[in-house]
Amino acid sequence: MKIRVAWIGKTKEPAIQALTDDYSKRISRYTPFETAVLRNEPALLELCARASAKAASKSTLVLMDSRGKEFSSEQFAKFLGDYQDRNPLPLVFAIGGADGFSPETRAASQHVISLGKMTLAHELARVVLLEQIYRAFTILKGHPYHSGH
């Protein structure tokens, strides 16, 4: 399973970039992984091949939104594990800009997931998502990083 984490807008804080790079490296030990910096939502839809009829290039789009479904870390690990076992398409997690996602992008997504009820700055949300993806793989592999509390 290939995972992409895509976000709209450039990274402004060096500390955020350092954490992004660190978690990206950690995740890539478990699965093919990449990040993508995008200009806007049409670029996100193009990345996911929503504008193309070629089934081989499509991805499963997961929007990160505070109004989405909430998971515990264990439930999120199960979501990733089940997806990995049952679906060959790349999984794209998308973090929108400050205004969230348009209705068109929401309609194009297969899943909407929340990192919690609190609103997070989009750069901070990215780091939290990356950490949770890493944590999910450590849960799936039985690594002691996740202690269950």
Side-chain angles (χ1 to χ4, degrees), residues 63-127:
L63 301 183
M64 304 308 298
D65 186 291
S66 62
R67 297 167 287 178
K69 182 176 181 176
E70 291 185 43
F71 290 108
S72 67
S73 294
E74 293 84 356
Q75 290 168 329
F76 184 63
K78 183 174 181 344
F79 169 82
L80 283 181
D82 289 348
Y83 187 89
Q84 187 174 30
D85 292 343
R86 295 189 175 117
N87 200 323
L89 296 176
L91 191 56
V92 177
F93 290 94
I95 299 171
D99 296 327
F101 292 103
S102 68
E104 294 80 20
T105 301
R106 290 178 74 82
S109 70
Q110 286 72 43
H111 303 279
V112 181
I113 295 177
S114 174
L115 293 170
K117 292 186 184 288
M118 291 185 192
T119 301
L120 299 172
H122 60 280
E123 287 187 341
L124 185 56
R126 178 191 339 152
V127 173

CSV table of all heavy atoms in Angstrom, one decimal, residues 63-127:
chain,number,residue,atom,x,y,z
A,63,LEU,N,-10.1,12.9,3.4
A,63,LEU,CA,-10.0,14.3,3.8
A,63,LEU,C,-9.9,14.4,5.3
A,63,LEU,O,-10.6,13.7,6.0
A,63,LEU,CB,-11.2,15.1,3.3
A,63,LEU,CG,-11.5,15.2,1.8
A,63,LEU,CD1,-12.6,16.1,1.6
A,63,LEU,CD2,-10.2,15.7,1.1
A,64,MET,N,-9.0,15.2,5.8
A,64,MET,CA,-8.9,15.5,7.2
A,64,MET,C,-9.7,16.7,7.5
A,64,MET,O,-9.5,17.8,7.0
A,64,MET,CB,-7.4,15.7,7.6
A,64,MET,CG,-6.5,14.5,7.2
A,64,MET,SD,-7.1,12.9,7.7
A,64,MET,CE,-7.0,13.1,9.5
A,65,ASP,N,-10.7,16.5,8.4
A,65,ASP,CA,-11.7,17.6,8.7
A,65,ASP,C,-12.2,17.4,10.1
A,65,ASP,O,-12.6,16.2,10.4
A,65,ASP,CB,-12.8,17.6,7.6
A,65,ASP,CG,-13.8,18.7,7.7
A,65,ASP,OD1,-14.5,18.8,8.7
A,65,ASP,OD2,-13.8,19.6,6.8
A,66,SER,N,-12.4,18.4,10.8
A,66,SER,CA,-12.8,18.3,12.2
A,66,SER,C,-14.3,17.8,12.3
A,66,SER,O,-14.7,17.3,13.4
A,66,SER,CB,-12.8,19.6,13.0
A,66,SER,OG,-13.6,20.6,12.3
A,67,ARG,N,-15.0,17.8,11.2
A,67,ARG,CA,-16.4,17.2,11.2
A,67,ARG,C,-16.4,15.8,10.7
A,67,ARG,O,-17.5,15.2,10.6
A,67,ARG,CB,-17.3,18.1,10.3
A,67,ARG,CG,-17.4,19.5,10.8
A,67,ARG,CD,-18.0,20.4,9.7
A,67,ARG,NE,-17.0,20.6,8.7
A,67,ARG,CZ,-17.2,21.3,7.6
A,67,ARG,NH1,-18.3,21.8,7.3
A,67,ARG,NH2,-16.2,21.4,6.7
A,68,GLY,N,-15.3,15.2,10.5
A,68,GLY,CA,-15.2,13.8,10.0
A,68,GLY,C,-15.3,12.8,11.2
A,68,GLY,O,-15.6,13.1,12.3
A,69,LYS,N,-15.1,11.5,10.8
A,69,LYS,CA,-15.2,10.4,11.8
A,69,LYS,C,-14.0,10.4,12.7
A,69,LYS,O,-12.9,10.6,12.2
A,69,LYS,CB,-15.3,9.1,11.0
A,69,LYS,CG,-15.5,7.9,11.9
A,69,LYS,CD,-15.6,6.6,11.1
A,69,LYS,CE,-15.8,5.4,12.0
A,69,LYS,NZ,-16.1,4.2,11.3
A,70,GLU,N,-14.2,10.2,13.9
A,70,GLU,CA,-13.1,10.2,14.9
A,70,GLU,C,-12.8,8.7,15.2
A,70,GLU,O,-13.6,7.9,15.2
A,70,GLU,CB,-13.5,10.8,16.2
A,70,GLU,CG,-13.7,12.3,16.1
A,70,GLU,CD,-14.0,13.0,17.4
A,70,GLU,OE1,-13.3,12.7,18.4
A,70,GLU,OE2,-14.8,13.9,17.4
A,71,PHE,N,-11.5,8.5,15.3
A,71,PHE,CA,-10.9,7.2,15.6
A,71,PHE,C,-10.0,7.3,16.9
A,71,PHE,O,-9.3,8.3,17.0
A,71,PHE,CB,-10.0,6.7,14.5
A,71,PHE,CG,-10.7,6.3,13.2
A,71,PHE,CD1,-10.6,7.1,12.1
A,71,PHE,CD2,-11.4,5.1,13.1
A,71,PHE,CE1,-11.2,6.7,10.9
A,71,PHE,CE2,-12.1,4.7,12.0
A,71,PHE,CZ,-11.9,5.5,10.8
A,72,SER,N,-9.9,6.2,17.6
A,72,SER,CA,-8.8,6.1,18.6
A,72,SER,C,-7.6,5.7,17.7
A,72,SER,O,-7.7,5.3,16.6
A,72,SER,CB,-9.2,5.0,19.6
A,72,SER,OG,-9.2,3.7,19.0
A,73,SER,N,-6.4,5.7,18.3
A,73,SER,CA,-5.2,5.3,17.6
A,73,SER,C,-5.3,3.8,17.2
A,73,SER,O,-5.0,3.5,16.1
A,73,SER,CB,-4.0,5.5,18.5
A,73,SER,OG,-3.8,6.8,18.7
A,74,GLU,N,-5.9,3.0,18.0
A,74,GLU,CA,-6.1,1.6,17.7
A,74,GLU,C,-7.1,1.4,16.5
A,74,GLU,O,-6.9,0.6,15.6
A,74,GLU,CB,-6.6,0.8,18.9
A,74,GLU,CG,-5.5,0.6,20.0
A,74,GLU,CD,-5.5,1.8,20.9
A,74,GLU,OE1,-6.3,2.8,20.7
A,74,GLU,OE2,-4.7,1.8,21.9
A,75,GLN,N,-8.2,2.2,16.5
A,75,GLN,CA,-9.2,2.1,15.4
A,75,GLN,C,-8.6,2.6,14.1
A,75,GLN,O,-8.8,2.1,13.1
A,75,GLN,CB,-10.4,2.9,15.8
A,75,GLN,CG,-11.2,2.3,16.9
A,75,GLN,CD,-12.3,3.3,17.4
A,75,GLN,OE1,-12.1,4.5,17.4
A,75,GLN,NE2,-13.4,2.7,17.9
A,76,PHE,N,-7.7,3.7,14.2
A,76,PHE,CA,-7.1,4.2,13.0
A,76,PHE,C,-6.1,3.1,12.5
A,76,PHE,O,-6.0,2.9,11.2
A,76,PHE,CB,-6.4,5.5,13.3
A,76,PHE,CG,-5.8,6.1,12.1
A,76,PHE,CD1,-6.6,6.6,11.0
A,76,PHE,CD2,-4.4,6.3,12.1
A,76,PHE,CE1,-6.0,7.2,9.9
A,76,PHE,CE2,-3.8,7.0,10.9
A,76,PHE,CZ,-4.6,7.4,9.9
A,77,ALA,N,-5.4,2.5,13.3
A,77,ALA,CA,-4.5,1.4,12.9
A,77,ALA,C,-5.3,0.3,12.2
A,77,ALA,O,-4.9,-0.2,11.2
A,77,ALA,CB,-3.7,0.8,14.1
A,78,LYS,N,-6.4,-0.1,12.7
A,78,LYS,CA,-7.3,-1.1,12.1
A,78,LYS,C,-7.8,-0.6,10.7
A,78,LYS,O,-7.8,-1.4,9.8
A,78,LYS,CB,-8.5,-1.4,13.0
A,78,LYS,CG,-9.4,-2.5,12.4
A,78,LYS,CD,-10.4,-2.9,13.4
A,78,LYS,CE,-11.4,-4.0,12.9
A,78,LYS,NZ,-11.4,-4.4,11.5
A,79,PHE,N,-8.1,0.7,10.6
A,79,PHE,CA,-8.6,1.2,9.3
A,79,PHE,C,-7.4,1.1,8.3
A,79,PHE,O,-7.7,0.6,7.2
A,79,PHE,CB,-8.9,2.7,9.5
A,79,PHE,CG,-9.1,3.5,8.3
A,79,PHE,CD1,-10.3,3.4,7.6
A,79,PHE,CD2,-8.1,4.3,7.8
A,79,PHE,CE1,-10.5,4.1,6.4
A,79,PHE,CE2,-8.3,5.0,6.6
A,79,PHE,CZ,-9.5,4.9,5.9
A,80,LEU,N,-6.2,1.4,8.7
A,80,LEU,CA,-5.1,1.3,7.8
A,80,LEU,C,-4.8,-0.2,7.5
A,80,LEU,O,-4.5,-0.5,6.3
A,80,LEU,CB,-3.8,2.0,8.3
A,80,LEU,CG,-3.7,3.5,8.3
A,80,LEU,CD1,-2.4,4.0,8.9
A,80,LEU,CD2,-3.9,4.0,6.9
A,81,GLY,N,-4.8,-1.0,8.5
A,81,GLY,CA,-4.5,-2.4,8.2
A,81,GLY,C,-5.6,-3.1,7.3
A,81,GLY,O,-5.2,-3.8,6.4
A,82,ASP,N,-6.8,-2.8,7.6
A,82,ASP,CA,-7.9,-3.3,6.7
A,82,ASP,C,-7.8,-2.8,5.3
A,82,ASP,O,-7.9,-3.5,4.3
A,82,ASP,CB,-9.3,-2.9,7.2
A,82,ASP,CG,-9.6,-3.7,8.5
A,82,ASP,OD1,-8.9,-4.7,8.9
A,82,ASP,OD2,-10.6,-3.3,9.2
A,83,TYR,N,-7.4,-1.5,5.1
A,83,TYR,CA,-7.3,-0.9,3.8
A,83,TYR,C,-6.1,-1.6,3.1
A,83,TYR,O,-6.2,-2.0,1.9
A,83,TYR,CB,-7.0,0.6,3.9
A,83,TYR,CG,-7.0,1.2,2.5
A,83,TYR,CD1,-8.2,1.7,1.9
A,83,TYR,CD2,-5.8,1.3,1.8
A,83,TYR,CE1,-8.2,2.2,0.7
A,83,TYR,CE2,-5.8,1.9,0.5
A,83,TYR,CZ,-7.0,2.3,0.0
A,83,TYR,OH,-7.0,2.9,-1.3
A,84,GLN,N,-5.0,-1.8,3.8
A,84,GLN,CA,-3.8,-2.4,3.3
A,84,GLN,C,-4.1,-3.8,2.8
A,84,GLN,O,-3.6,-4.3,1.7
A,84,GLN,CB,-2.7,-2.4,4.3
A,84,GLN,CG,-1.4,-2.9,3.8
A,84,GLN,CD,-0.3,-2.7,4.9
A,84,GLN,OE1,-0.6,-2.8,6.1
A,84,GLN,NE2,0.9,-2.5,4.5
A,85,ASP,N,-4.9,-4.6,3.5
A,85,ASP,CA,-5.3,-5.9,3.2
A,85,ASP,C,-6.2,-6.0,2.0
A,85,ASP,O,-6.3,-7.1,1.3
A,85,ASP,CB,-5.9,-6.7,4.4
A,85,ASP,CG,-4.9,-6.9,5.5
A,85,ASP,OD1,-3.6,-6.8,5.2
A,85,ASP,OD2,-5.3,-7.1,6.6
A,86,ARG,N,-7.1,-5.0,1.8
A,86,ARG,CA,-8.2,-5.2,0.9
A,86,ARG,C,-8.1,-4.3,-0.4
A,86,ARG,O,-9.0,-4.4,-1.3
A,86,ARG,CB,-9.5,-4.9,1.6
A,86,ARG,CG,-9.8,-5.9,2.7
A,86,ARG,CD,-11.2,-5.8,3.2
A,86,ARG,NE,-11.4,-6.8,4.2
A,86,ARG,CZ,-11.6,-6.7,5.5
A,86,ARG,NH1,-11.7,-5.5,6.0
A,86,ARG,NH2,-11.8,-7.7,6.2
A,87,ASN,N,-7.3,-3.3,-0.4
A,87,ASN,CA,-7.3,-2.3,-1.5
A,87,ASN,C,-5.9,-2.0,-2.0
A,87,ASN,O,-5.1,-1.6,-1.3
A,87,ASN,CB,-8.0,-1.0,-0.9
A,87,ASN,CG,-8.5,-0.1,-2.0
A,87,ASN,OD1,-8.0,0.0,-3.1
A,87,ASN,ND2,-9.6,0.5,-1.7
A,88,PRO,N,-5.8,-2.2,-3.3
A,88,PRO,CA,-4.5,-1.9,-3.9
A,88,PRO,C,-4.2,-0.4,-4.3
A,88,PRO,O,-3.1,-0.1,-4.6
A,88,PRO,CB,-4.5,-2.7,-5.2
A,88,PRO,CG,-6.0,-2.7,-5.6
A,88,PRO,CD,-6.7,-2.7,-4.3
A,89,LEU,N,-5.3,0.4,-4.2
A,89,LEU,CA,-5.1,1.8,-4.6
A,89,LEU,C,-4.3,2.6,-3.6
A,89,LEU,O,-4.4,2.3,-2.4
A,89,LEU,CB,-6.5,2.5,-4.8
A,89,LEU,CG,-7.4,1.9,-5.9
A,89,LEU,CD1,-8.7,2.7,-5.8
A,89,LEU,CD2,-6.7,2.1,-7.2
A,90,PRO,N,-3.5,3.6,-4.1
A,90,PRO,CA,-2.8,4.4,-3.1
A,90,PRO,C,-3.8,5.2,-2.2
A,90,PRO,O,-4.9,5.5,-2.7
A,90,PRO,CB,-2.0,5.4,-4.0
A,90,PRO,CG,-1.9,4.7,-5.3
A,90,PRO,CD,-3.2,3.9,-5.4
A,91,LEU,N,-3.4,5.4,-1.0
A,91,LEU,CA,-4.3,6.1,-0.1
A,91,LEU,C,-3.7,7.6,0.1
A,91,LEU,O,-2.5,7.7,0.4
A,91,LEU,CB,-4.2,5.4,1.3
A,91,LEU,CG,-5.2,5.7,2.4
A,91,LEU,CD1,-6.6,5.6,1.9
A,91,LEU,CD2,-4.9,4.8,3.6
A,92,VAL,N,-4.5,8.6,-0.2
A,92,VAL,CA,-4.1,10.0,-0.1
A,92,VAL,C,-4.9,10.6,1.0
A,92,VAL,O,-6.1,10.8,1.0
A,92,VAL,CB,-4.4,10.7,-1.4
A,92,VAL,CG1,-4.0,12.2,-1.3
A,92,VAL,CG2,-3.6,10.1,-2.6
A,93,PHE,N,-4.1,11.0,2.0
A,93,PHE,CA,-4.7,11.8,3.1
A,93,PHE,C,-4.4,13.3,2.8
A,93,PHE,O,-3.3,13.7,2.5
A,93,PHE,CB,-4.0,11.5,4.5
A,93,PHE,CG,-4.3,10.2,5.0
A,93,PHE,CD1,-3.4,9.1,4.7
A,93,PHE,CD2,-5.4,10.0,5.8
A,93,PHE,CE1,-3.7,7.9,5.3
A,93,PHE,CE2,-5.7,8.7,6.3
A,93,PHE,CZ,-4.8,7.7,6.0
A,94,ALA,N,-5.5,14.1,2.8
A,94,ALA,CA,-5.4,15.5,2.4
A,94,ALA,C,-5.7,16.4,3.6
A,94,ALA,O,-6.7,16.2,4.2
A,94,ALA,CB,-6.3,15.8,1.2
A,95,ILE,N,-4.9,17.5,3.7
A,95,ILE,CA,-5.1,18.5,4.7
A,95,ILE,C,-5.3,19.8,3.9
A,95,ILE,O,-4.5,20.2,3.2
A,95,ILE,CB,-4.0,18.6,5.7
A,95,ILE,CG1,-3.8,17.3,6.4
A,95,ILE,CG2,-4.2,19.8,6.6
A,95,ILE,CD1,-2.5,17.2,7.3
A,96,GLY,N,-6.5,20.4,4.1
A,96,GLY,CA,-6.8,21.6,3.4
A,96,GLY,C,-6.2,22.8,4.0
A,96,GLY,O,-5.4,22.8,5.0
A,97,GLY,N,-6.5,23.9,3.4
A,97,GLY,CA,-6.0,25.2,3.9
A,97,GLY,C,-6.9,25.7,5.0
A,97,GLY,O,-7.7,24.9,5.6
A,98,ALA,N,-6.7,26.9,5.4
A,98,ALA,CA,-7.4,27.5,6.5
A,98,ALA,C,-8.9,27.5,6.4
A,98,ALA,O,-9.6,27.4,7.4
A,98,ALA,CB,-6.9,28.9,6.8
A,99,ASP,N,-9.4,27.5,5.2
A,99,ASP,CA,-10.9,27.5,5.0
A,99,ASP,C,-11.5,26.1,4.8
A,99,ASP,O,-12.7,25.9,4.5
A,99,ASP,CB,-11.2,28.3,3.8
A,99,ASP,CG,-10.8,29.8,3.9
A,99,ASP,OD1,-10.9,30.3,5.1
A,99,ASP,OD2,-10.4,30.4,3.0
A,100,GLY,N,-10.7,25.0,5.0
A,100,GLY,CA,-11.2,23.7,4.8
A,100,GLY,C,-11.4,23.3,3.3
A,100,GLY,O,-10.8,23.9,2.5
A,101,PHE,N,-12.3,22.4,3.1
A,101,PHE,CA,-12.5,21.9,1.7
A,101,PHE,C,-13.8,22.3,1.1
A,101,PHE,O,-14.8,22.5,1.9
A,101,PHE,CB,-12.4,20.3,1.7
A,101,PHE,CG,-11.1,19.8,2.0
A,101,PHE,CD1,-10.8,19.2,3.3
A,101,PHE,CD2,-10.1,19.8,1.1
A,101,PHE,CE1,-9.6,18.7,3.6
A,101,PHE,CE2,-8.8,19.2,1.4
A,101,PHE,CZ,-8.6,18.7,2.6
A,102,SER,N,-13.9,22.4,-0.2
A,102,SER,CA,-15.1,22.8,-0.9
A,102,SER,C,-16.0,21.6,-0.9
A,102,SER,O,-15.6,20.5,-0.8
A,102,SER,CB,-14.8,23.3,-2.3
A,102,SER,OG,-14.3,22.1,-3.1
A,103,PRO,N,-17.3,21.9,-1.2
A,103,PRO,CA,-18.3,20.8,-1.3
A,103,PRO,C,-17.9,19.8,-2.4
A,103,PRO,O,-18.1,18.6,-2.3
A,103,PRO,CB,-19.6,21.5,-1.6
A,103,PRO,CG,-19.5,22.8,-1.0
A,103,PRO,CD,-18.0,23.2,-1.1
A,104,GLU,N,-17.3,20.3,-3.5
A,104,GLU,CA,-16.9,19.5,-4.6
A,104,GLU,C,-15.8,18.5,-4.2
A,104,GLU,O,-15.8,17.3,-4.6
A,104,GLU,CB,-16.4,20.3,-5.8
A,104,GLU,CG,-17.4,21.2,-6.4
A,104,GLU,CD,-17.7,22.5,-5.6
A,104,GLU,OE1,-16.9,22.9,-4.8
A,104,GLU,OE2,-18.9,23.0,-5.8
A,105,THR,N,-14.8,19.0,-3.4
A,105,THR,CA,-13.7,18.1,-3.0
A,105,THR,C,-14.3,17.1,-2.0
A,105,THR,O,-13.9,15.9,-2.0
A,105,THR,CB,-12.6,18.9,-2.4
A,105,THR,OG1,-12.1,19.8,-3.4
A,105,THR,CG2,-11.4,18.0,-1.9
A,106,ARG,N,-15.2,17.5,-1.1
A,106,ARG,CA,-15.8,16.6,-0.1
A,106,ARG,C,-16.5,15.5,-0.9
A,106,ARG,O,-16.4,14.3,-0.5
A,106,ARG,CB,-16.7,17.4,0.8
A,106,ARG,CG,-15.9,18.3,1.8
A,106,ARG,CD,-16.9,19.1,2.7
A,106,ARG,NE,-17.5,18.2,3.7
A,106,ARG,CZ,-16.9,17.9,4.8
A,106,ARG,NH1,-15.7,18.3,5.1
A,106,ARG,NH2,-17.5,17.1,5.7
A,107,ALA,N,-17.2,15.9,-2.0
A,107,ALA,CA,-18.0,14.9,-2.7
A,107,ALA,C,-17.0,13.9,-3.4
A,107,ALA,O,-17.4,12.7,-3.7
A,107,ALA,CB,-18.9,15.5,-3.7
A,108,ALA,N,-15.8,14.3,-3.8
A,108,ALA,CA,-14.9,13.4,-4.5
A,108,ALA,C,-14.1,12.5,-3.5
A,108,ALA,O,-13.5,11.6,-4.0
A,108,ALA,CB,-13.8,14.3,-5.2
A,109,SER,N,-14.2,12.7,-2.2
A,109,SER,CA,-13.5,11.9,-1.3
A,109,SER,C,-14.3,10.6,-0.9
A,109,SER,O,-15.5,10.6,-1.0
A,109,SER,CB,-13.2,12.7,0.0
A,109,SER,OG,-14.4,12.9,0.7
A,110,GLN,N,-13.5,9.6,-0.5
A,110,GLN,CA,-14.1,8.4,0.0
A,110,GLN,C,-14.3,8.3,1.5
A,110,GLN,O,-15.1,7.6,2.0
A,110,GLN,CB,-13.3,7.2,-0.5
A,110,GLN,CG,-13.4,6.8,-2.0
A,110,GLN,CD,-12.7,7.9,-2.8
A,110,GLN,OE1,-11.6,8.3,-2.5
A,110,GLN,NE2,-13.3,8.3,-3.9
A,111,HIS,N,-13.5,9.1,2.2
A,111,HIS,CA,-13.5,9.1,3.6
A,111,HIS,C,-13.2,10.5,4.1
A,111,HIS,O,-12.5,11.3,3.5
A,111,HIS,CB,-12.5,8.2,4.3
A,111,HIS,CG,-12.6,6.8,3.8
A,111,HIS,ND1,-13.4,5.9,4.4
A,111,HIS,CD2,-11.9,6.1,2.9
A,111,HIS,CE1,-13.3,4.7,3.8
A,111,HIS,NE2,-12.3,4.8,2.9
A,112,VAL,N,-13.9,10.9,5.3
A,112,VAL,CA,-13.5,12.1,6.0
A,112,VAL,C,-13.3,11.7,7.4
A,112,VAL,O,-14.1,11.2,8.1
A,112,VAL,CB,-14.7,13.1,5.9
A,112,VAL,CG1,-14.3,14.4,6.6
A,112,VAL,CG2,-15.1,13.4,4.4
A,113,ILE,N,-12.0,12.0,7.8
A,113,ILE,CA,-11.6,11.7,9.2
A,113,ILE,C,-11.2,12.9,10.0
A,113,ILE,O,-10.7,13.9,9.4
A,113,ILE,CB,-10.4,10.7,9.1
A,113,ILE,CG1,-10.8,9.4,8.4
A,113,ILE,CG2,-9.7,10.5,10.4
A,113,ILE,CD1,-9.6,8.4,8.2
A,114,SER,N,-11.5,12.9,11.2
A,114,SER,CA,-11.2,14.0,12.1
A,114,SER,C,-10.0,13.6,13.1
A,114,SER,O,-10.0,12.4,13.5
A,114,SER,CB,-12.4,14.3,13.0
A,114,SER,OG,-12.1,15.3,14.0
A,115,LEU,N,-9.2,14.5,13.4
A,115,LEU,CA,-8.1,14.3,14.4
A,115,LEU,C,-8.6,14.7,15.7
A,115,LEU,O,-7.9,14.6,16.7
A,115,LEU,CB,-6.9,15.1,14.0
A,115,LEU,CG,-6.2,14.7,12.7
A,115,LEU,CD1,-5.1,15.7,12.3
A,115,LEU,CD2,-5.6,13.3,12.9
A,116,GLY,N,-9.9,15.1,15.8
A,116,GLY,CA,-10.5,15.5,17.1
A,116,GLY,C,-11.4,16.7,16.9
A,116,GLY,O,-11.5,17.3,15.8
A,117,LYS,N,-12.2,17.0,17.9
A,117,LYS,CA,-13.2,18.0,17.8
A,117,LYS,C,-12.6,19.4,17.8
A,117,LYS,O,-13.2,20.4,17.3
A,117,LYS,CB,-14.2,17.9,18.9
A,117,LYS,CG,-15.1,16.7,18.8
A,117,LYS,CD,-16.2,16.7,19.8
A,117,LYS,CE,-17.0,15.4,19.8
A,117,LYS,NZ,-17.8,15.3,18.6
A,118,MET,N,-11.4,19.6,18.3
A,118,MET,CA,-10.7,20.9,18.3
A,118,MET,C,-10.2,21.2,16.9
A,118,MET,O,-9.7,20.3,16.2
A,118,MET,CB,-9.5,20.9,19.3
A,118,MET,CG,-9.9,20.8,20.7
A,118,MET,SD,-8.4,20.9,21.7
A,118,MET,CE,-9.1,20.4,23.3
A,119,THR,N,-10.2,22.5,16.6
A,119,THR,CA,-9.7,22.9,15.3
A,119,THR,C,-8.2,23.1,15.5
A,119,THR,O,-7.7,23.7,16.5
A,119,THR,CB,-10.3,24.3,14.9
A,119,THR,OG1,-11.7,24.1,14.8
A,119,THR,CG2,-9.8,24.8,13.6
A,120,LEU,N,-7.4,22.6,14.6
A,120,LEU,CA,-6.0,22.7,14.6
A,120,LEU,C,-5.5,23.5,13.4
A,120,LEU,O,-6.1,23.5,12.3
A,120,LEU,CB,-5.3,21.3,14.5
A,120,LEU,CG,-5.6,20.3,15.6
A,120,LEU,CD1,-5.1,18.9,15.2
A,120,LEU,CD2,-5.1,20.7,16.9
A,121,ALA,N,-4.4,24.3,13.6
A,121,ALA,CA,-3.8,24.9,12.5
A,121,ALA,C,-3.4,23.9,11.5
A,121,ALA,O,-3.0,22.8,11.9
A,121,ALA,CB,-2.5,25.7,13.0
A,122,HIS,N,-3.5,24.1,10.2
A,122,HIS,CA,-3.3,23.1,9.2
A,122,HIS,C,-1.9,22.5,9.2
A,122,HIS,O,-1.7,21.3,9.0
A,122,HIS,CB,-3.8,23.5,7.8
A,122,HIS,CG,-3.0,24.6,7.2
A,122,HIS,ND1,-3.4,25.9,7.6
A,122,HIS,CD2,-2.1,24.7,6.3
A,122,HIS,CE1,-2.6,26.8,6.9
A,122,HIS,NE2,-1.8,26.0,6.2
A,123,GLU,N,-0.9,23.3,9.5
A,123,GLU,CA,0.5,22.8,9.6
A,123,GLU,C,0.6,21.8,10.8
A,123,GLU,O,1.3,20.8,10.8
A,123,GLU,CB,1.5,23.9,9.7
A,123,GLU,CG,1.7,24.6,8.4
A,123,GLU,CD,2.8,25.6,8.4
A,123,GLU,OE1,3.3,26.0,9.5
A,123,GLU,OE2,3.3,25.9,7.3
A,124,LEU,N,0.0,22.2,11.9
A,124,LEU,CA,0.0,21.3,13.1
A,124,LEU,C,-0.8,20.1,12.9
A,124,LEU,O,-0.4,19.0,13.3
A,124,LEU,CB,-0.5,22.1,14.3
A,124,LEU,CG,-0.5,21.4,15.7
A,124,LEU,CD1,1.0,20.9,16.0
A,124,LEU,CD2,-1.0,22.3,16.8
A,125,ALA,N,-1.9,20.2,12.2
A,125,ALA,CA,-2.7,19.0,11.9
A,125,ALA,C,-1.9,18.0,11.1
A,125,ALA,O,-2.0,16.8,11.2
A,125,ALA,CB,-4.0,19.4,11.1
A,126,ARG,N,-1.1,18.5,10.2
A,126,ARG,CA,-0.2,17.6,9.4
A,126,ARG,C,0.7,16.8,10.2
A,126,ARG,O,0.8,15.6,10.1
A,126,ARG,CB,0.6,18.4,8.4
A,126,ARG,CG,1.5,17.6,7.6
A,126,ARG,CD,2.5,18.3,6.7
A,126,ARG,NE,2.2,19.7,6.5
A,126,ARG,CZ,3.2,20.6,6.3
A,126,ARG,NH1,4.4,20.3,6.3
A,126,ARG,NH2,2.8,21.9,6.1
A,127,VAL,N,1.3,17.4,11.2
A,127,VAL,CA,2.3,16.7,12.1
A,127,VAL,C,1.5,15.7,12.9
A,127,VAL,O,2.0,14.6,13.1
A,127,VAL,CB,3.0,17.7,13.0
A,127,VAL,CG1,3.9,17.0,14.0
A,127,VAL,CG2,3.9,18.6,12.2
